[in-house]
Amino acid sequence: MEVSEKPKIDPSNKDCAYCETNGAKLTCGKCKSAHYCSKACQRQHWKKGHKERCLAPEKRRPQAPALDLTGQAAETAKENELGKCPICLDFLSQDTLCTLPCTHDFHRKCVEELRKHGVLQACPLCRTALPAGPEKLNEDATRMYFALARKVESGRVSWPSQDNLMAKVVAMWLTAAEEGHVSAQYNLGATYYKGQGVPQDLVEGARWIRKAAEQGQVNAQYSLGCKYYKGQGVPQDLVESARWTRKAAEHGHADAQYNLGCKYSNGKGVPQDLEEAARWTQKAAEQGHADAQCNLGWKYSNGQGVPQDLVESVRWTRKAAEQGDGGEQYNLGVMHANGQGVPQDLEEAAQWFQKAAEQGHTGAQEALQKALA
């Protein structure tokens, strides 16, 4: 099915002050800070109390008190002409300044504290609602995204039909990501890779995932390692792939640990080292990673990077088989049939062949026929 071009995202779009619809085009002519999607919403908002709160910008900005300053403080205040934060009464600077939509100036940390406590969710001077912080934006956007994903998975809607809602999700993630919120950066990067709500852009996706990875986000580190391995949005670079994969593996990411073990086994991006490969594979296997358990069982069977040990091979093969891996169910059946690492038990072998055969494993189907003949 041909998908129409996705709309461009404009993070500057305003929400209607009355009905909260995104994309408000009208602005209150007096206060300049309230936005509306229609004249009807503007009239209703005026009746509901905006009339009493509406102040012209020049009347809202507090007058800086006369300051009797000396030394460096006087020079700083004179240079910036910002006065003091009305909350903490410390001097404002360009580095710490947070100007709310109502034009009142505060320290950024003071505004963040207001958001944390959830009591004063409005400007302390004029009661205009505070803009949502990055944590709240990411939380709301993520909740909206998963609600859409559930609808798509159930077959009720398709992703292309949800472009308008996804555009709002992306705009919220973008605002939070630009403020340094690490989860929003990762989510935004993944969205660009998928092309959901924005045109697919692998380079932009990699850029945001890198920002999250550099802040220590483990999923982003693993993802970036995969991008470098495949050359998706970044130049293919096996050494760089191994570097980011190791960062995630060292933080306990099971997929990254298994992936790093494979790199050491094949010498991709790192010198080939079978013992190091087995070490990282075992770390992933101990976390329940089925592919790592399969691989570790094979390593013990063949003595690759570890001493050959058929009993240990059976132990790890069984763990993978119990997770439903058809290949390992077949291998476990063979081990029981031949008495490799376990006492020979044809009945047990047939049970594992049956499990694998039900998953379509042809070798198991043939073995089961022979066992039943």
Side-chain angles (χ1 to χ4, degrees):
M1 180 178 69
E2 184 177 353
V3 179
S4 60
E5 183 178 354
K6 296 175 174 60
K8 294 183 178 179
I9 303 306
D10 182 3
S12 65
N13 278 350
K14 306 294 184 181
D15 289 342
C16 176
Y18 183 70
C19 71
E20 299 184 356
T21 299
N22 187 248
K25 303 298 184 183
L26 302 177
T27 302
C28 177
K30 183 178 179 181
C31 69
K32 310 294 185 185
S33 63
H35 305 276
Y36 305 97
C37 63
S38 66
K39 284 287 186 181
C41 281
Q42 186 173 7
R43 285 193 294 270
Q44 289 297 321
H45 195 231
W46 183 262
K47 293 177 182 178
K48 295 292 185 180
H50 183 60
K51 178 180 179 180
E52 288 74 22
R53 297 191 299 270
C54 187
L55 293 173
E58 62 272 12
K59 293 184 179 180
R60 292 200 305 268
R61 184 176 293 278
Q63 297 297 317
L67 302 175
D68 183 15
L69 305 175
T70 58
Q72 185 62 40
E75 293 179 7
T76 302
K78 182 178 179 180
E79 178 183 353
N80 296 325
E81 296 182 350
L82 296 174
K84 291 183 177 181
C85 171
I87 297 176
C88 67
L89 301 181
D90 286 339
F91 292 110
L92 296 165
S93 70
Q94 292 295 344
D95 293 336
T96 63
L97 179 66
C98 175
T99 302
L100 299 183
C102 58
T103 75
H104 289 139
D105 295 330
F106 301 90
H107 281 126
R108 189 177 300 110
K109 287 186 177 180
C110 290
V111 175
E112 290 173 356
E113 284 299 315
L114 293 183
R115 293 193 183 109
K116 279 182 186 177
H117 293 296
V119 178
L120 297 174
Q121 291 296 319
C123 172
L125 298 178
C126 69
R127 309 304 298 167
T128 300
L130 296 180
E135 186 68 38
K136 183 68 162 56
L137 282 171
N138 178 68
E139 179 183 332
D140 290 347
T142 303
R143 187 182 298 111
M144 288 175 61
Y145 175 81
F146 281 114
L148 290 176
R150 285 193 293 271
K151 290 181 180 180
V152 173
E153 289 171 2
S154 67
R156 287 180 286 168
V157 297
S158 63
W159 280 116
S161 71
Q162 302 301 300
D163 278 351
N164 288 337
L165 286 175
M166 269 305 300
K168 187 171 184 178
V169 170
V170 171
M172 294 166 71
W173 272 336
L174 178 60
T175 301
E178 288 176 338
E179 292 192 41
H181 194 282
V182 64
S183 293
Q185 291 172 341
Y186 175 69
N187 292 336
L188 187 61
T191 300
Y192 271 108
Y193 268 98
K194 297 175 183 176
Q196 294 174 338
V198 289
Q200 188 177 43
D201 188 333
L202 302 188
V203 174
E204 188 69 0
R207 185 174 77 86
W208 283 109
I209 287 176
R210 175 183 289 278
K211 285 181 179 292
E214 288 172 345
Q215 289 200 67
Q217 217 269 16
V218 179
N219 288 332
Q221 291 172 339
Y222 173 65
S223 178
L224 191 59
C226 294
K227 306 309 180 194
Y228 272 111
Y229 184 81
K230 299 176 182 178
Q232 294 178 328
V234 291
Q236 188 176 41
D237 188 329
L238 299 185
V239 174
E240 194 70 359
S241 172
R243 185 172 79 87
W244 284 107
T245 302
R246 178 182 291 277
K247 286 179 180 290
E250 289 173 345
H251 284 91
H253 194 290
D255 285 334
Q257 291 171 340
Y258 173 63
N259 195 299
L260 188 60
C262 293
K263 292 180 188 298
Y264 273 110
S265 182
N266 299 318
K268 291 187 175 181
V270 291
Q272 188 178 43
D273 187 329
L274 299 184
E275 290 185 3
E276 191 72 357
R279 186 173 76 87
W280 284 108
T281 302
Q282 180 143 351
K283 285 180 179 290
E286 288 170 349
Q287 292 200 65
H289 194 288
D291 288 340
Q293 292 170 343
C294 296
N295 191 272
L296 190 60
W298 182 87
K299 290 181 185 299
Y300 273 110
S301 178
N302 293 276
Q304 189 180 78
V306 290
Q308 188 177 41
D309 187 331
L310 297 183
V311 173
E312 195 69 0
S313 175
V314 170
R315 185 170 80 88
W316 287 109
T317 300
R318 181 182 296 277
K319 287 181 179 292
E322 289 172 346
Q323 291 201 60
D325 187 288
E328 294 307 283
Q329 290 171 342
Y330 168 71
N331 289 338
L332 189 58
V334 171
M335 290 172 171
H336 279 288
N338 297 332
Q340 296 175 335
V342 288
Q344 188 179 46
D345 188 333
L346 298 182
E347 184 176 342
E348 182 79 2
Q351 290 178 6
W352 286 108
F353 287 146
Q354 178 71 43
K355 290 178 181 292
E358 289 172 355
Q359 296 196 59
H361 193 288
T362 55
Q365 292 168 348
E366 295 173 0
L368 187 60
Q369 290 176 357
K370 291 179 181 179
L372 296 175

